[in-house]
Amino acid sequence: MEIGDAVSRTVADDETPTGVVVTAVACVTGSTVGEVSPLHHSVDPASLDELFDPTRRGRRRGRVEFEHDGCEVSVRYDGDVTVAVAPCE
């Protein structure tokens, strides 16, 4: 895992943002989905999934960013999920 390694995916209709985040973190860190720390250590998974659910007026706008398992995670309103290796502090 090197700084700058990143994965970008778009959440498909049959997926959840949390599922895509966990899969992308596993990919970037070279681990399996089962080896990724529980997402609730970094963010409330139910809230993340609900945050960008379509409403009667369409999709909500915004972005959520957080760190998980040494990765910087960004989830955007349009379903784009980016996971990148976080730089060491």
Side-chain angles (χ1 to χ4, degrees):
M1 184 165 74
E2 295 183 26
I3 295 172
D5 288 349
V7 170
S8 292
R9 290 230 7 246
T10 299
V11 179
D13 290 338
D14 62 341
E15 296 178 306
T16 62
T18 54
V20 173
V21 167
V22 171
T23 301
V25 168
C27 182
V28 167
T29 60
S31 58
T32 66
V33 169
E35 294 172 326
V36 173
S37 297
L39 200 53
H40 71 265
H41 289 177
S42 301
V43 68
D44 181 340
S47 294
L48 181 62
D49 286 340
E50 291 173 14
L51 187 61
F52 299 117
D53 277 347
T55 66
R56 291 186 308 195
R57 299 167 121 194
R59 286 202 164 267
R60 296 182 178 126
R61 296 195 123 357
R63 175 177 56 209
V64 174
E65 295 178 342
F66 57 95
E67 287 192 19
H68 188 72
D69 273 8
C71 297
E72 294 176 343
V73 178
S74 174
V75 181
R76 290 182 6 162
Y77 72 93
D78 59 3
D80 285 343
V81 174
T82 302
V83 175
V85 176
C88 297
E89 294 183 22

